[in-house]
Amino acid sequence: MSGARRLLAGLNRRPQLAAASLLGPGTLWLLLFFFVPIAVVFAYSFMTRGVYGGVTGGFTLEHYRRFLDPLYLGVFRRTVTLAVSCTVLCLVVGYPVAYTIARAGRWKNLLLFLVVVPLWTSFLVRTYALIFLLRDTGFVNAVLLALGVVREPLVLLYTPGAVLAGLVYGYLPLMVLPIYVSLEKLDPTLLEAAEVLGARPLARFWRITLPLSAPGVVAGAMLVFIPALGAFLTPDLLGGAKQMMVGTLVQNQFGAARNWPFGSAASFILMAVVLVAVLAYLRLRDRAPMEAVA
Amino acid sequence: MRRRVPRSLVAFTALCFVLLHLPVLVLAVFSLNRSRYSVQWTGFTLEWYRRLLERPDILAALRVSLTVGAVSTLVSTVLGTMIALALARHRFRGRTLLEGLLYLPIVTPEIVVGISLLLLFATLHMALGIPTIVVAHVAFSVSFVTVVVRARLEGMDRALEEAALTLGADEVATFRRVTLPLLWPGILAGALLAFTMSIDDFVITFFVSGPGSTTLPVLIYSMARRTIEPTINAVSTVLVVVTTVLIFFFDRLTRGREPTEGAL
Amino acid sequence: MTDRVRPGTLTRREFVRRTAECGLAASAAGALAACARREAGGGAAAAGRLGPLEKELNVYNWSDYIAPDTVAGFEREFSVRVAYDTYESNEELLAKLQSGARGYDVVVPSSYLIPAMQATELLMPLHRDLLPNFANIEPTFIDPPWDPGNAHTVPYHWGFTGIAYRRDRVREIAASQAVWSDARWRGKMTMMDDVREVLGSMLIWRGRSPNSVDPLELREARDDAVRAKPNLRAYKSAPVKADLIAGDVWVAQLWNGDATQAMVEQPAIAFAFPREGSQIWADTLAVLTDAPHPRAAHEFLNYVLRPEVGAAIADATGYGTANRAAAARQAHPIPYPSADEMRHLEYQRDLGADTEAWDRIWTEIKSA
C-alpha cells in the first residue's frame, strides 16, 4: 500500500505523467485496433489486386481513379441522397418527439427509456422484425386485408420506401436524444421573457427555441448521416439488393468481386467523409456559443 | 410545467413511439404463435422457445456471445474509465485532439470498422476467433464507456473529495473511499452499455469471427437467410428482452441529477 | 423439360425437424441412429504418413448442406469431437481463408473456386490411400477439368440453376431463360444475388457461354439484365426459398436442391429446367493445407463417401450426389444429367482477371 502511495505521490507532482498513465492503455488500444487498421486500409487501397483475391504489392492510383468514373460517382451520389433523405426525415419526425419529451414533466424518464431501448437493440433483430412486418404475407398486410382496406396485399417490402423506412426506424433515436439534450438545457426564463414582451408562440419557437437547439440538431444530424452513409444491410435485406450503395460496393469487393484494394479505396473515401464531417462538427461546436444570455 | 404541449404534438409523438416499438413487439408476439408460417394466430405456445434449448448451434452461439460480452465489457470498462478520469481531471496537451479521436469510433460506419479490422488481422496472419472478436468489441466500446463515465464524473460534486483531502486522507484513500463509490453507478452504467453493444453487434462481428466463434446475431442472420420459422422470432425476442433489462438498469444508474447526460 | 426433381421420401414434419438441426457436437441432440456399418478395411491401412487419428475436427461447410446425423454418427464411431461452422457463399469462404481464418480442416468449395484455391496453395493434396470409398464416385466427376486426377478434392454434390415457381399462382410457364424478361409476373420474380447467375442466364439465353469474357457479348447480356430488372422483386439467392414457400414470390431463379427442399414444405412449388440450358456446378470436399487435424479430416471424407451416409445427406439436401453408390440407395435420387442435357449444361469457371469486368457490369446493373 505504501508503495502505491509513493507512486501516487510521485504522479501527483507530475500531473502530465498521471494523465498519461491513465490515458495510456485505452488510447493505445484505440490506436492499435482502430486507427492502425484504418491506416492498413489506406495502404491496401494503393496496392494491386491479386487475381484470386488478396493483394500483390506495387503502388497504383487506379483504384481511386476509378471513382472518377460516372458509374461509381453515381453510387456515391445515390448513397449520399439516401443518407440525406434519411437525416431529413429523422429530423422532421425526431424534433417534435424530442420537443414533446422535453416538455413531458414526470413522463420524461419513461419516454426517454422508451427511446433508448430500441437504440441499443440489435440492428439486425430490428431489421428482421421490419421484414416480418412488411412482407406481402406479413403482419401489416394481414391486418389491412382483414380490415378490408385493401383487396390485394400492398407491395411494401423490397422497395426504396422500405429502405428509407428501415433506415429512419433504425436511426431515429440517435436524432431524438441530442435534440432532447439541447432542448432540456434551454433556459425557460428566456421564453417567459419573450412571452412577456409580446411574442407569439410560433415566433418564440422560431426565434428562440429553434436556434438554441441548433447544437442538438447538428449533433443528431451527424449521428444519423454518417452511419447511414455506410448502410448495406438495410438496402440488401429491405430493398431486395436492387440498388448498390457504397456499403454494398465495399462488401462486394471483399466478397464476390475479390478486389480488396478497390474495396479499401471505397472504404477510405467513406472514412475521409466521416473525418471531414467530424472536424467540421467540432469546429462548429467550439465556435458557436451555447448560451444566448450573457 | 406551465407550458402545455399541443394535443396534436402529443398524438404525433405517441404515434412515433408506437411505430418505433411495433416491429419488435409483433416479432415477440409471433414467437408465441403456434402457426409456423402464417401470421394468423392459431394458438399460444412456448414450443419455439423449447426448441431453442434443443439446438446446439443456438446454445453454442449463446455461449460465445456471453463469453465475448463478458471479456470485452471488462476490458473496455477499465480502459474507458481510465480515459474518462484523465479527461475530466487533468489538463494536458492534445486534449481536444483526443476528444475528437474518441468521437470517431462512435460515428464511423460499421462496415469500415469491420473491414479495417479484417485487413489488420489478415496482414498480421492472426487467426480469426473469439480473441479477435473481443479485440474488435473493445475497440468500439471504449469510446462509449468514456462518454458515460465522464458524464458522471462531471456531474459529481468535487466538494466531497476536497473535504476528504482536507481532512487528511491521501490520494489513494480519497479515490478508494470517496471517488470510486460515487463514480460506481457511472462505471456500472458504462459496463452495461458495453455489454449490450457487444451482444447485439452484427456487422463488425461478421467480419472478424472465425471457427467456432459464431455469436447470436451472426447466427440469427444465417438462420433468417435460410428459412422463416418462429424459432428465429424466439431467439430474437430473447436477445431483445436481455437488452431491455440491461438498458433498464443502465437507465436507473444514470438517472439522478443529470438524467439528460445519462440517457445517451 | 419440367419437374426433373422429385421430393424426398420424408414426411414434411420430419424433414423440417431434421433440416433444422444440422448438428454440432452432440450429446443428446437428435436421437436418430445412424447405421454405422463399418466399410471393410476402411481407413485402417496406410495411416502412417499423417500420424494417428486426432481427437478433434473442424468442418466448415455451406449451411443446410449435410444430414442431421452425419456429424453425430462420425463422432460416435471415431470418437472425434467435431466443430461445425457454416458459410453462405464461396466468396465468404475464400475471404475468410485469405484473411487468416485458421483452424479449419475440411471445407466445401465449389468447382469454380478450386483453381483459385490451388493457385494460392490453400488445399492439401489428398492421401488417396486413406480414401478407399472414393471408388463410389460417379465417373462423370472423376478427373474433372477443375481438379485433374482429383488430386485435391472429393466431389460432394452437384447441381444446376433453374426456375422454381408456384404452380398454383403461375398457370403455365415457359421453361426458358426468357422468363425473366416476361412482364406477366412483374414484381413477383426474383433472380439470384450473384453476377455469375444473373449475367450467365442472359448469356445462355442468347446462346453464349456463361463463362464468356467477350466485351460485346457481356454488354449485350448486361442490357438484357437491365431490361429484365424492373420485372424483378429482388435479387435474392437461396434464402428466397422462404419467400416462395410463403407466396411472396412466384418465380425464382434457384438451384435445384434448394427447390427440392422448398417443395417439401410447399408442394405447390415446381421446378423447370430452361430449354436454352443452364449452369452446372459441383461442390467438393477438400482439406486445407494447414489443417490442424489432417488424419481426422481424411477419415471424415471417407465416412461421407459411404453409400448410406451419402444417401442420407443427399436426401436431406435435395441435391444430386456425386456418389454413385449413394444414389443407388436413394428412393428418389436426382438422375445424373443425360448426354443430351449435359450438352445444355456448362460448368461455371473461374474468370480470373476478368472478374473485374464482370464486377463492373454488376455495379452497372445494380445502379440502373
Side-chain angles (χ1 to χ4, degrees), chain B residues 23-256:
Chain B
V24 175
L25 282 174
V26 168
L27 192 76
V29 163
F30 278 91
S31 69
L32 300 165
N33 186 12
R34 189 163 305 170
S35 160
R36 196 188 146 85
Y37 290 115
S38 83
V39 288
Q40 317 293 349
W41 184 262
T42 53
F44 179 90
T45 177
L46 287 174
E47 166 72 15
W48 311 110
Y49 287 94
R50 199 180 55 73
R51 289 216 188 168
L52 292 185
L53 299 170
E54 288 176 0
R55 296 269 306 254
D57 52 347
I58 294 183
L59 294 176
L62 183 64
R63 245 195 319 266
V64 172
S65 278
L66 289 177
T67 311
V68 169
V71 177
S72 65
T73 301
L74 194 61
V75 176
S76 57
T77 308
V78 168
L79 294 179
T81 306
M82 285 166 70
I83 297 183
L85 280 167
L87 281 175
R89 293 289 160 88
H90 294 89
R91 300 242 162 287
F92 52 90
R93 271 198 305 266
R95 185 203 168 96
T96 339
L97 181 66
L98 180 66
E99 284 183 307
L101 291 181
L102 275 174
Y103 195 51
L104 276 177
I106 297 181
V107 288
T108 308
E110 289 198 292
I111 187 162
V112 175
V113 179
I115 295 285
S116 62
L117 279 169
L118 180 69
L119 285 181
L120 178 75
F121 295 138
T123 315
L124 295 176
H125 290 291
M126 216 163 120
L128 297 178
I130 291 189
T132 52
I133 306 180
V134 168
V135 164
H137 284 203
V138 171
F140 69 66
S141 302
V142 171
S143 301
F144 285 91
V145 174
T146 307
V147 167
V148 172
V149 175
R150 189 169 170 201
R152 176 87 188 167
L153 267 173
E154 287 178 353
M156 260 167 61
D157 193 351
R158 299 217 59 171
L160 287 164
E161 290 169 301
E162 284 158 11
L165 287 167
T166 319
L167 289 169
D170 61 19
E171 304 274 344
V172 177
T174 312
F175 183 77
R176 207 161 58 92
R177 302 175 118 219
V178 179
T179 319
L180 205 52
L182 281 176
L183 192 54
W184 186 245
I187 298 181
L188 204 55
L192 282 175
L193 199 61
F195 189 76
T196 310
M197 291 180 68
S198 173
I199 55 172
D200 283 331
D201 181 69
F202 168 69
V203 175
I204 300 177
T205 314
F206 179 72
F207 286 105
V208 299
S209 55
S213 56
T214 306
T215 61
L216 221 46
V218 174
L219 184 70
I220 293 177
Y221 178 69
S222 36
M223 280 170 80
R225 283 170 64 98
R226 277 183 257 156
T227 178
I228 41 163
E229 59 172 40
T231 318
I232 307 177
N233 294 36
V235 172
S236 307
T237 309
V238 167
L239 199 56
V240 169
V241 166
V242 169
T243 305
T244 309
V245 167
L246 289 172
I247 293 301
F248 175 73
F249 286 112
F250 168 77
D251 192 60
R252 270 283 153 86
L253 286 166
T254 52
R255 218 148 333 130

Side-chain angles (χ1 to χ4, degrees), chain A residues 138-177:
Chain A
F139 184 73
V140 170
N141 272 316
V143 166
L144 290 176
L145 283 168
L147 290 178
V149 176
V150 292
R151 280 219 305 249
E152 292 265 319
L154 287 177
V155 173
L156 295 168
L157 198 54
Y158 306 139
T159 60
V163 177
L164 195 57
L167 286 175
V168 171
Y169 167 62
Y171 294 123
L172 187 65
L174 282 173
M175 176 66 82
V176 169
L177 288 172

Side-chain angles (χ1 to χ4, degrees), chain A residues 81-94:
Chain A
T81 311
L82 183 66
V84 167
S85 314
C86 169
T87 309
V88 168
L89 212 54
C90 277
L91 185 59
V92 164
V93 173

Side-chain angles (χ1 to χ4, degrees), chain C residues 61-349:
Chain C
N61 191 5
W62 297 75
S63 51
D64 283 337
Y65 218 32
I66 203 164
D69 51 344
T70 312
V71 171
F74 177 77
E75 284 180 319
R76 269 197 299 274
E77 185 173 326
F78 290 86
S79 301
V80 172
R81 218 185 51 195
V82 177
Y84 191 90
D85 278 345
T86 62
Y87 53 88
E88 309 293 327
S89 71
N90 281 303
E91 282 63 36
E92 192 181 326
L93 170 67
L94 197 61
K96 282 281 158 81
L97 290 179
Q98 283 175 339
S99 58
R102 295 272 166 276
Y104 290 120
D105 299 297
V106 175
V107 292
V108 189
S110 297
S111 42
Y112 77 84
L113 209 64
I114 306 297
M117 292 181 82
Q118 281 178 1
T120 47
E121 289 173 3
L122 282 168
L123 301 178
M124 171 192 291
L126 292 175
H127 296 255
R128 288 281 288 276
D129 45 351
L130 288 176
L131 304 173
N133 291 336
F134 188 86
N136 294 334
I137 295 292
E138 163 77 12
T140 321
F141 300 104
I142 295 189
D143 196 21
W146 67 79
D147 185 20
N150 293 99
H152 297 86
T153 62
V154 168
Y156 187 48
H157 286 133
W158 62 276
F160 57 90
T161 317
I163 306 167
Y165 63 98
R166 287 288 295 252
R167 248 193 317 236
D168 53 343
R169 303 261 197 267
V170 173
R171 293 292 153 224
E172 47 145 303
I173 189 167
S176 156
Q177 300 283 11
V179 74
W180 315 115
S181 310
D182 192 333
R184 259 184 300 170
W185 298 293
R186 192 185 182 105
K188 289 294 186 190
M189 285 200 299
T190 62
M191 289 186 89
M192 302 188 87
D193 193 12
D194 182 333
V195 64
R196 299 302 304 271
E197 299 288 356
V198 172
L199 219 54
S201 284
M202 297 304 165
L203 284 164
I204 290 175
W205 186 30
R206 298 282 185 191
R208 319 244 193 264
S209 159
N211 295 306
S212 164
V213 293
D214 178 279
L216 281 164
E217 293 178 2
L218 288 178
R219 223 171 308 158
E220 187 181 42
R222 175 202 63 194
D223 293 336
D224 286 332
V226 168
R227 263 193 297 267
K229 189 175 170 185
N231 294 331
L232 300 178
R233 186 71 190 278
Y235 288 105
K236 208 163 173 186
S237 298
V240 78
K241 266 188 317 229
D243 298 86
L244 263 177
I245 294 172
D248 283 32
V249 166
W250 296 351
V251 181
Q253 187 185 41
L254 195 58
W255 293 323
N256 61 326
D258 282 282
T260 313
Q261 288 178 18
M263 275 183 220
V264 173
E265 308 272 5
Q266 173 56 271
I269 293 176
F271 190 74
F273 179 79
R275 74 174 86 105
E276 299 90 353
S278 187
Q279 300 189 63
I280 185 175
W281 45 265
D283 284 334
T284 64
L285 297 163
V287 179
L288 293 179
T289 315
D290 55 359
H293 317 103
R295 181 68 195 284
H298 280 79
E299 289 298 346
F300 186 73
L301 260 53
N302 200 44
Y303 179 78
V304 166
L305 282 169
R306 291 186 190 174
E308 66 276 11
V309 178
I313 296 178
D315 279 334
T317 63
Y319 281 97
T321 173
N323 186 333
R324 188 190 38 190
R329 280 172 161 263
Q330 282 183 277
H332 299 287
I334 313 285
Y336 292 111
S338 66
D340 182 59
E341 285 164 358
M342 275 309 281
R343 267 198 291 277
H344 288 102
L345 287 169
E346 189 169 334
Y347 275 107
Q348 206 176 73
R349 274 203 310 273

Side-chain angles (χ1 to χ4, degrees), chain A residues 1 4-5 8-9 12 15-16 18-19 21-23 25-27 29-30 32-38 40-41 44 92-94 96-97 99-105 109 111-126 128-130 132-133 135 137-139 142 168-169 172-174 177-178 180-181 184-185 188 191-192 195 204 219 222-223 226-227 229-233 237 246-248 250-251 254 260 263-264 267 270-271 274-275 278 281-282 285-286, chain B residues 1-6 9-10 12-13 16-17 19-24 26-27 30 37-40 75 79 82-83 85-87 90-93 96 98-109 111-113 115-123 126 134-136 138-140 142-144 170-173 176 193 196-197 199-203 206-207 217-218 220-221 224-225 227-229 232-233 236-237 239-240 243-244 247-248 250-251 255 259-261 263-264:
Chain A
M1 206 34 168
R5 285 207 169 93
L8 272 160
N12 210 27
Q16 297 279 34
S21 54
L22 277 175
L23 288 173
T27 318
W29 193 285
L30 278 178
L32 275 179
F33 299 116
F34 186 79
F35 295 103
V36 166
I38 306 275
V40 171
V41 168
Y44 265 71
V92 164
V93 173
V97 173
Y99 187 86
T100 312
I101 300 180
R103 293 245 182 304
N109 285 319
L111 290 178
L112 276 177
F113 174 68
L114 287 177
V115 167
V116 165
V117 165
L119 179 61
W120 301 118
T121 307
S122 177
F123 191 73
L124 186 69
V125 168
R126 289 197 293 155
Y128 181 63
L130 211 52
F132 190 80
L133 214 61
R135 58 193 324 162
T137 49
F139 184 73
V168 171
Y169 167 62
L172 187 65
L174 282 173
L177 288 172
Y180 165 79
V181 168
E184 237 267 334
K185 288 202 177 108
L191 292 161
E192 287 168 28
E195 192 177 9
R204 289 202 298 271
M222 282 261 300
L223 285 174
I226 295 176
L229 277 181
F232 72 98
L233 263 188
L237 292 177
V246 175
T248 328
V250 172
Q251 195 211 16
F254 285 92
W260 292 21
S264 301
S267 286
L270 202 54
M271 193 63 207
V274 172
L275 279 167
V278 170
Y281 168 70
L282 289 177
R285 187 192 68 170
D286 289 339
Chain B
M1 288 239 73
R2 274 194 3 216
R3 188 141 281 112
R4 282 246 309 263
V5 188
L9 215 50
V10 174
F12 180 78
T13 308
C16 288
F17 271 101
L19 290 178
L20 204 58
H21 289 266
L22 187 69
V24 175
V26 168
L27 192 76
F30 278 91
Y37 290 115
S38 83
V39 288
Q40 317 293 349
V75 176
L79 294 179
M82 285 166 70
I83 297 183
L85 280 167
L87 281 175
H90 294 89
R91 300 242 162 287
F92 52 90
R93 271 198 305 266
T96 339
L98 180 66
E99 284 183 307
L101 291 181
L102 275 174
Y103 195 51
L104 276 177
I106 297 181
V107 288
T108 308
I111 187 162
V112 175
V113 179
I115 295 285
S116 62
L117 279 169
L118 180 69
L119 285 181
L120 178 75
F121 295 138
T123 315
M126 216 163 120
V134 168
V135 164
V138 171
F140 69 66
V142 171
S143 301
F144 285 91
D170 61 19
E171 304 274 344
V172 177
R176 207 161 58 92
L193 199 61
T196 310
M197 291 180 68
I199 55 172
D200 283 331
D201 181 69
F202 168 69
V203 175
F206 179 72
F207 286 105
V218 174
I220 293 177
Y221 178 69
R225 283 170 64 98
T227 178
I228 41 163
E229 59 172 40
I232 307 177
N233 294 36
S236 307
T237 309
L239 199 56
V240 169
T243 305
T244 309
I247 293 301
F248 175 73
F250 168 77
D251 192 60
R255 218 148 333 130
T260 65
E261 311 294 333
L264 191 60

